[in-house]
Amino acid sequence: MAQKDFLTSRIQEAAEMAVAYQTTSYLDFYEPTLQMLTEREIARYPGSECAFFGGHEYCERKMLCIFPQSQEPTDTEFPIDCIQIKDTSGTLTHQDVLGALMNVGIEREKTGDININNEMIQFFVSAPLGEFIEMQLNRIGRFSVAPKKASLNEIIVFEPNFIDMDIIVPSMRADAVIHAVFRISRSEASALIKAEKVKVNHKAINKPAVSLKEGDVLSVRSKGRIIIDAASGVTKKGNIKLRIKKFA
């Protein structure tokens, strides 16, 4: 709650600056839930707008920009540095990298996505922190590292991997879909929802009867995340055929 209250106050300040002084403000990196909160909140300030960018089109954590109406910045105007590190050990994890950044004083809000592919690590930070990281970050865990800023043409676009699934459900209720996708009982699915461990489009739900639709992103804590890709028809018994994309 404190983080949301702080963000709301920053949105207000930046929006008022955009309207009064035609000023563009770049804030921190935020997860999808807070991106949605910002989009709702900015509507309270006519004359200002918001946009998000994280480094490439598939980033989940994105930097917030608040700007005067009709003056949206391009992606390249966002003050974001991309840092890349060669991991010859092939063992470093997302948590290892995040922990090392925090150890040198980089706050989580200043850090975007952390992507690891084979022996290459790339992550995004608010500029000009890139130079600081190049000088100060020399170890991750027990391994020596040599971070360097990546140019635009060196950024690797990490597309999410999906597994396609075809399921049959009696309805589009959230508990029915969770039951079919994750192969747990309907009662267990309902319990997860009531405990607010399920999000639809990055917003927690607490009612098993919530109806899903094509394009919805559904995540279940400790189980995984899916996209409702398409409804492909109805069976003879009236059940719904669904194509699901499950994040690998």
Side-chain angles (χ1 to χ4, degrees):
M1 183 61 70
Q3 184 184 24
K4 291 183 179 179
D5 290 342
F6 179 65
L7 174 57
T8 299
S9 67
R10 295 192 73 189
I11 293 169
Q12 178 180 353
E13 180 181 0
E16 290 174 349
M17 291 285 288
V19 174
Y21 303 105
Q22 297 295 289
T23 300
T24 295
S25 299
Y26 295 93
L27 305 182
D28 292 331
F29 288 90
Y30 296 105
E31 61 170 331
T33 301
L34 295 179
Q35 292 169 30
M36 292 174 63
L37 180 150
T38 300
E39 289 173 341
R40 293 195 301 269
E41 189 68 19
I42 202 70
R44 298 175 54 193
Y45 305 97
S48 65
E49 298 181 27
C50 68
F52 298 91
F53 183 64
H56 62 72
E57 62 181 308
Y58 294 108
C59 286
E60 185 169 275
R61 290 178 60 83
K62 298 178 182 179
M63 179 179 284
L64 166 61
C65 175
I66 295 178
F67 55 92
Q69 196 167 36
S70 303
Q71 296 184 31
E72 182 172 358
T74 63
D75 291 347
T76 56
E77 291 179 90
F78 278 74
I80 296 174
D81 287 336
C82 178
I83 302 297
Q84 65 181 23
I85 296 172
K86 189 75 171 177
D87 173 24
T88 54
S89 73
T91 62
L92 294 177
T93 66
H94 179 283
Q95 286 302 119
D96 292 331
V97 177
L98 184 58
L101 290 172
M102 296 182 73
N103 284 339
V104 295
I106 306 296
E107 298 175 349
R108 184 65 178 112
E109 291 75 17
K110 302 299 181 184
T111 308
D113 280 9
I114 299 171
N115 298 313
I116 300 176
N117 184 23
N118 297 324
E119 295 184 351
M120 180 59 70
I121 299 170
Q122 285 192 344
F123 56 88
F124 299 94
V125 295
S126 300
L129 287 174
E131 287 85 353
F132 174 81
I133 291 169
E134 285 181 314
M135 294 186 294
Q136 298 296 324
L137 183 65
N138 50 43
R139 296 191 71 81
I140 299 179
R142 58 190 178 89
F143 298 102
S144 297
V145 295
K148 74 178 189 74
K149 286 174 62 177
S151 62
L152 286 175
N153 60 7
E154 290 177 308
I155 293 175
I156 302 170
V157 178
F158 287 83
E159 297 187 39
N161 294 319
F162 300 104
I163 299 170
D164 289 329
M165 297 178 62
D166 291 306
I167 62 172
I168 295 175
V169 291
S171 73
M172 295 294 287
R173 284 173 54 123
D175 58 347
V177 172
I178 292 170
H179 158 69
V181 171
F182 298 105
R183 294 181 171 84
I184 61 176
S185 70
R186 190 80 173 259
S187 60
E188 185 179 354
S190 295
L192 288 169
I193 294 170
K194 291 176 182 177
E196 297 191 355
K197 294 182 178 180
V198 175
K199 293 182 178 180
V200 176
N201 299 325
H202 312 294
K203 184 177 180 180
I205 61 172
N206 56 21
K207 296 181 179 179
V210 166
S211 183
L212 304 177
K213 61 183 185 302
E214 290 183 14
D216 280 349
V217 178
L218 181 145
S219 58
V220 182
R221 192 181 306 172
S222 79
K223 300 292 183 185
R225 183 164 50 147
I226 64 168
I227 297 174
I228 310 296
D229 189 31
S232 57
V234 179
T235 68
K236 291 180 180 180
K237 293 184 178 180
N239 292 322
I240 302 168
K241 299 178 181 179
L242 282 183
R243 168 57 61 91
I244 300 294
K245 288 187 175 296
K246 186 176 182 181
F247 286 75

